[in-house]
Amino acid sequence: MRLIKTLTLTALAAVIIAAVSVFPHGPCFKNGLNYTFYCGNGSSNCQIVTVESGAAAKKLGLKDVCGESTVYQNFDLDGFLKQVGGEIVFVEELSDSVNYYCTANLPYSVNLYGKKINLHVSVRSDSARVASPIIFGGY
């Protein structure tokens, strides 16, 4: 009886370890005004899936997630970069926004201008969109 208990507990532990390694991790960011998943092989064939809430549950049902983003109001760039271990690589100023291309502790990445980028932050006067690796489809 003791052997059966031990084998059952061992099998259960193996299933839990396998599930943690197989199932996708939770969302990259805390949910902002909405949460967007980019699915596909990159920007050329990207399917954009946006949810208002329940990002973690939605992610479990998606295939080929190649990026994520969300929108924040009252955005603190320095605090956010500290939270994700981010460092600005280069900046692009546009007429309506400032884009920061960064490296951070995030799972997705692209190569831009010979640099590995895995965080894109687009700051406007009233909000900011953050994405890993970059914002697909515009902001």
Side-chain angles (χ1 to χ4, degrees):
M1 187 64 155
R2 187 175 180 144
L3 178 61
I4 293 173
K5 229 182 205 182
T6 302
L7 290 175
T8 302
L9 288 174
T10 302
L12 183 60
V15 167
I16 291 171
I17 290 170
V20 168
S21 64
V22 170
F23 289 118
H25 299 285
C28 291
F29 309 111
K30 291 180 183 173
N31 197 40
L33 297 177
N34 57 39
Y35 205 93
T36 300
F37 295 98
Y38 306 116
C39 302
N41 296 325
S43 63
S44 63
N45 71 343
C46 189
Q47 176 189 3
I48 297 174
V49 178
T50 301
V51 296
E52 297 300 319
S53 62
K58 184 66 174 179
K59 186 175 182 180
L60 287 174
L62 295 174
K63 294 183 179 181
D64 300 324
V65 175
C66 64
E68 304 176 28
S69 76
T70 194
V71 175
Y72 297 116
Q73 290 182 313
N74 304 317
F75 184 71
D76 171 21
L77 178 63
D78 292 330
F80 180 78
L81 289 175
K82 185 182 250 185
Q83 184 180 38
V84 296
E87 183 178 318
I88 297 170
V89 176
F90 60 92
V91 178
E92 175 184 61
E93 293 187 35
L94 303 175
S95 62
D96 65 342
S97 62
V98 179
N99 288 284
Y100 300 90
Y101 296 89
C102 313
T103 60
N105 296 327
L106 296 167
Y108 312 103
S109 67
V110 294
N111 190 323
L112 288 179
Y113 307 116
K115 303 285 185 180
K116 180 181 173 182
I117 301 298
N118 62 356
L119 173 64
H120 178 188
V121 179
S122 182
V123 179
R124 291 185 172 179
S125 61
D126 62 342
S127 63
R129 177 173 289 278
V130 299
S132 179
I134 60 172
I135 299 168
F136 295 123
Y139 172 50

